[in-house]
Amino acid sequence: MTILEHEIMMTEQLRRVPADELQARLNKFRAVMDREFPGWEIAIVNHKVNMYYFAGTMQDGVLVIRPQDEILWVRRSYERACNESLLQDIRPMKSFRTLAEFYQPLPAKVYLENKTATLEWQQLLYKYLPFASEAGMDSVISELRLIKSPYELALMRKSGSIHRNVLDELAPRFIVQGVSEAELAVNLYAEMLRRGSHGVARFNLPLGEDVVGLASFGKSGLVKTAFDGPGGTCVAVQSIGSAFRKLQAGRLVYLDIPCGVDGYHTDKTVVYYYGDLDQDPFSDKIRAAYEHCVFLEELTASLLQPGMVIENIYRQVMEQFDPQYENGFMNGGKFLGHSIGLVMDESPALANGFKGKLEAGMVFAVEPKIALPGIGMVGTENTYLVTAGGAKSLTGKPQPLRCIL
């Protein structure tokens, strides 16, 4: 690193994860590992999101956690890792050979992130560190990330404030005749960046990183995609929207633009109608479906209370679901929302099969949406914090369907 590079790095306003926050996470990790895997000896964290969670940096390397210590081994960039992470023990590594020389004798079993570790990475690991066996620790990390600390919630509240300001208050000024889906999405994305959004949306997938989000007009929002959500557009890029589809009067405007601060996301969707809805031949159908989505969101939020079994929330809400919308609900999906934090789609989902109970500090995006054939997508979405007193929205409340004339 040159002197100039060092000066630039040191003068940047880095918002580092506090040392006591990192240590608290590591302590909780060890406690859960002791409970789930008594006698465990070594765990290796490699995925960048989990590296950030435990170490406060996303530099290339591994975090090796043992009952007695944790060491962040960095291949590149060691200097940046030292500047970003407040862990006490950070060391350079050239390859896994460095670890093989340090961790001798090897314990019999290693614990890894099986969901995100690539086969290539595992082969390199076993080449130099031939553990007799391995086991996954994804469930342990997922459990830890599910309940947010005051530090994490402060970031999510800031993200939610940006989200509410841009999508509820500023969006109407950008919804104008002739704007393209892509231009509208990018304009709103830029407004979030100006207010402090970190500018990406991470998902719980191997290639899980998006940027802008999605804007769609009318029927284009009905296109189904491989993404586990209700809307999408382009063949090659399943977000943003089309640069060639221009807004005309008589169209629904569906906006699902992500936001986040310092790694922590909130999720929000708003739908507007461009034109005079009273003149639309489908006005009654649009209003009824939209109002049903608002009802479903508010009902779901009312059930987000500590002690509630997650799948029971889904079932209770769906008992009130109007069956006329069954084919279009979530554009074929079977869920009401999802946990959210360091990635948009944390586990669990608000759906059947999730038998865990809610606890204070969990955060969920609630997003009931209905695809109306030949018309477009209606719905609403906000992010809610579970508290002892019930759910508190971080991103604002569902609004009546607003027309922009």
Side-chain angles (χ1 to χ4, degrees):
M1 179 183 292
T2 66
I3 294 176
L4 178 59
E5 289 172 333
H6 178 74
E7 289 177 350
I8 291 173
M9 180 173 289
M10 294 306 294
T11 55
E12 285 180 341
Q13 297 299 312
L14 291 177
R15 295 191 295 269
R16 296 183 289 188
V17 182
D20 58 352
E21 178 78 11
L22 297 177
Q23 196 57 58
R25 297 172 184 180
L26 288 163
N27 292 342
K28 290 177 182 177
F29 174 81
R30 291 188 174 96
V32 179
M33 288 291 289
D34 288 343
R35 184 192 73 203
E36 296 295 322
F37 307 109
W40 72 280
E41 297 180 77
I42 192 167
I44 299 180
V45 175
N46 152 259
H47 189 262
K48 66 180 182 180
V49 174
N50 290 329
M51 286 276 282
Y52 180 70
Y53 181 74
F54 287 115
T57 185
M58 288 188 175
Q59 298 310 296
D60 183 25
V62 294
L63 174 64
V64 180
I65 307 172
R66 297 189 294 180
Q68 68 271 30
D69 63 14
E70 66 275 342
I71 302 176
L72 177 59
W73 298 91
V74 183
R75 191 186 68 82
R76 188 174 184 272
S77 159
Y78 174 72
E79 291 82 3
R80 181 167 176 175
C82 291
N83 191 45
E84 292 177 344
S85 175
L86 292 176
L87 287 183
Q88 293 299 307
D89 199 343
I90 306 174
R91 309 186 190 192
M93 63 176 279
K94 293 183 178 180
S95 71
F96 282 120
R97 184 179 288 109
T98 304
L99 275 63
E101 294 169 353
F102 185 87
Y103 294 102
Q104 291 295 335
L106 285 179
K109 179 180 285 189
V110 63
Y111 290 85
L112 306 173
E113 309 144 293
N114 282 343
K115 180 165 185 171
T116 53
T118 65
L119 181 59
E120 178 185 26
W121 184 86
Q122 288 185 331
Q123 288 174 338
L124 283 171
L125 175 71
Y126 295 140
K127 178 180 178 181
Y128 295 104
L129 295 115
F131 295 100
S133 64
E134 59 88 16
M137 59 178 180
D138 303 273
S139 62
V140 172
I141 297 176
S142 179
E143 177 181 335
L144 295 178
R145 283 171 41 181
L146 184 55
I147 299 178
K148 309 303 188 291
S149 69
Y151 167 80
E152 294 172 298
L153 290 175
L155 297 175
M156 297 184 77
R157 286 190 177 96
K158 183 175 180 181
S159 176
S161 177
I162 296 169
H163 235 154
R164 181 174 62 253
N165 178 229
V166 173
L167 292 189
D168 282 346
E169 299 169 13
L170 297 183
R173 74 175 63 169
F174 295 99
I175 300 174
V176 296
Q177 180 80 19
V179 69
S180 74
E181 293 175 333
E183 183 181 4
L184 177 56
V186 169
N187 286 340
L188 296 174
Y189 168 76
E191 292 297 324
M192 290 184 183
L193 288 179
R194 292 188 183 101
R195 287 159 175 78
S197 174
H198 58 212
V200 300
R202 293 196 171 102
F203 293 88
N204 197 15
L205 297 166
L207 294 176
E209 202 155 290
D210 190 11
V211 179
V212 177
L214 173 67
S216 66
F217 303 152
K219 292 181 287 187
S220 71
L222 302 176
V223 179
K224 295 182 179 180
T225 72
F227 170 67
D228 192 11
T233 53
C234 177
V235 175
V237 179
Q238 299 182 46
S239 64
I240 301 177
S242 170
F244 307 104
R245 187 174 177 85
K246 308 289 187 176
L247 183 59
Q248 302 175 21
R251 295 287 187 271
L252 287 164
V253 178
Y254 174 91
L255 301 174
D256 190 355
I257 314 294
C259 189
V261 172
D262 288 358
Y264 287 87
H265 304 79
T266 51
D267 209 356
K268 182 176 178 69
T269 300
V270 298
V271 175
Y272 293 91
Y273 184 89
Y274 183 66
D276 186 350
L277 182 55
D278 291 331
Q279 300 301 313
D280 193 302
F282 301 108
S283 59
D284 290 343
K285 181 179 290 189
I286 291 170
R287 282 195 176 97
Y290 183 87
E291 289 171 4
H292 192 56
C293 289
V294 171
F295 165 75
L296 294 173
E297 180 183 326
E298 292 176 340
L299 178 57
T300 304
S302 73
L303 297 173
L304 294 177
Q305 300 178 15
M308 289 290 292
V309 176
I310 292 171
E311 68 174 1
N312 288 349
I313 296 173
Y314 176 80
R315 292 173 181 174
Q316 288 185 43
V317 172
M318 297 309 289
E319 287 175 358
Q320 304 297 315
F321 177 72
D322 189 334
Q324 70 170 306
Y325 300 121
E326 184 173 355
N327 291 335
F329 183 61
M330 298 303 287
N331 216 2
K334 299 293 183 183
F335 66 100
L336 285 164
H338 50 86
S339 179
I340 185 169
L342 282 171
V343 296
M344 298 287 287
D345 55 337
E346 297 268 13
S347 181
L350 295 172
N352 269 327
F354 293 93
K355 302 183 184 302
K357 294 182 179 181
L358 295 187
E359 297 181 43
M362 295 180 178
V363 183
F364 289 87
V366 180
E367 56 168 332
K369 295 164 186 174
I370 295 172
L372 296 174
I375 301 173
M377 186 76 70
V378 296
T380 177
E381 177 180 20
N382 284 291
T383 300
Y384 292 87
L385 166 65
V386 179
T387 76
K392 306 296 184 184
S393 178
L394 304 180
T395 56
K397 298 296 179 66
Q399 304 283 337
L401 183 58
R402 289 166 286 176
C403 296
I404 299 174
L405 301 175

